[in-house]
Amino acid sequence: DVKVTQSSRYLVKRTGEKVFLECVQDMDHENMFWYRQDPGLGLRLIYFSYDVKMKEKGDIPEGYSVSREKKERFSLILESASTNQTSMYLCASKRTGLASGNTIYFGEGSWLTVV
Amino acid sequence: DQQVKQNSPSLSVQEGRISILNCDYTNSMFDYFLWYKKYPAEGPTFLISISSIKDKNEDGRFTVFLNKSAKHLSLHIVPSQPGDSAVYFCAASPNFGNEKLTFGTGTRLTIIP
């Protein structure tokens, strides 16, 4: 079974702090994603990465950056946390190619509260 | 601009009856559609998918219907069970194998025993 692990389930940070959300997948997937989930807005893509050191902006990249130094690890960075970044953050991974279709596997989520 | 819309934020259905969840999309380039299910404090899990070359796909109690001319898809669950209570997201991509998915806003389904 694919396992996507988000190291921090619940975090409380202060406005202006730098925040790191870490994600590791164990299935050698090429693609990794960061989404955030907000009531009434669904899941919105922040960034994704299709290979080590490669990244592409999603729909709402402002205020975020990412790092992918190793294939299995994808980090989301909030350079200076703000209260409007309080949300549930979901990491996901997917293998490239038609064989796996478009099945994305999600982690359990990280609840971030910025005060 | 919400390209994938789920206009019903919530739905309550009696146990044993049929649950119908709806999803509309605006981008005519979308060609592959999926449904995900999410329990509280867990990540979404894949449920069922459909390609635009089909208008129906079944998997046990779950059936997805696609009306491409109306840009509309629906998920039917029959019979509904208490364990089906969750938030359901539809998602779309321009083609099968595309790495990016666009998700809808979600519908919270509650099954009443």
Side-chain angles (χ1 to χ4, degrees):
Chain A
D1 276 355
V2 175
K3 190 156 180 67
V4 179
T5 303
Q6 295 181 231
S7 55
S8 302
R9 292 299 309 275
Y10 302 95
L11 307 94
V12 179
K13 298 291 182 181
R14 294 195 180 279
T15 301
E17 272 193 82
K18 190 168 186 176
V19 181
F20 292 87
L21 299 179
E22 307 285 348
C23 175
V24 176
Q25 51 97 2
D26 66 356
M27 284 302 290
D28 202 38
H29 286 172
E30 296 84 2
N31 304 282
M32 296 189 74
F33 308 81
W34 276 105
Y35 287 86
R36 63 178 280 180
Q37 183 195 356
D38 300 288
L41 296 176
L43 276 68
R44 294 180 292 166
L45 181 63
I46 304 171
Y47 266 98
F48 76 100
S49 168
Y50 50 89
D51 202 349
V52 176
K53 296 190 186 295
M54 307 302 287
K55 63 184 178 185
E56 196 166 316
K57 292 180 181 178
D59 300 317
I60 50 163
E62 296 79 18
Y64 302 95
S65 62
V66 290
S67 171
R68 188 141 182 231
E69 297 297 317
K70 294 185 177 181
K71 191 175 186 180
E72 68 272 17
R73 188 179 296 272
F74 192 36
S75 303
L76 180 69
I77 304 154
L78 287 67
E79 295 290 342
S80 177
S82 63
T83 54
N84 63 12
Q85 293 179 309
T86 292
S87 185
M88 182 182 194
Y89 290 86
L90 288 158
C91 176
S93 73
K94 175 189 169 297
R95 190 177 303 284
T96 294
L98 298 180
S100 65
N102 252 322
T103 302
I104 283 183
Y105 296 89
F106 284 90
E108 293 190 321
S110 297
W111 288 96
L112 172 66
T113 301
V114 182
V115 297
Chain B
D1 178 30
Q2 194 73 37
Q3 296 186 70
V4 179
K5 302 177 187 179
Q6 294 175 255
N7 291 319
S8 298
S10 62
L11 176 68
S12 294
V13 174
Q14 206 78 34
E15 182 179 359
R17 307 294 290 268
I18 183 170
S19 296
I20 300 176
L21 294 93
N22 294 304
C23 179
D24 297 292
Y25 61 97
T26 57
N27 189 340
S28 58
M29 298 299 292
F30 287 147
D31 216 29
Y32 190 68
F33 305 89
L34 307 91
W35 285 93
Y36 281 79
K37 175 180 179 179
K38 184 181 183 300
Y39 292 118
E42 293 184 14
T45 55
F46 171 72
L47 199 54
I48 192 169
S49 63
I50 188 166
S51 164
S52 63
I53 61 173
K54 300 172 83 171
D55 55 16
K56 177 182 173 182
N57 189 26
E58 265 182 279
D59 184 2
R61 296 186 298 113
F62 302 92
T63 303
V64 55
F65 295 91
L66 175 63
N67 182 335
K68 205 172 178 195
S69 60
K71 295 192 179 69
H72 176 84
L73 64 153
S74 61
L75 174 68
H76 292 210
I77 306 172
V78 55
S80 300
Q81 298 174 355
D84 296 330
S85 294
V87 177
Y88 289 80
F89 292 98
C90 67
S93 79
N95 52 67
F96 181 72
N98 190 288
E99 315 316 327
K100 286 177 65 174
L101 292 180
T102 300
F103 283 84
T105 51
T107 296
R108 181 178 301 279
L109 175 65
T110 302
I111 305 303
I112 305 163

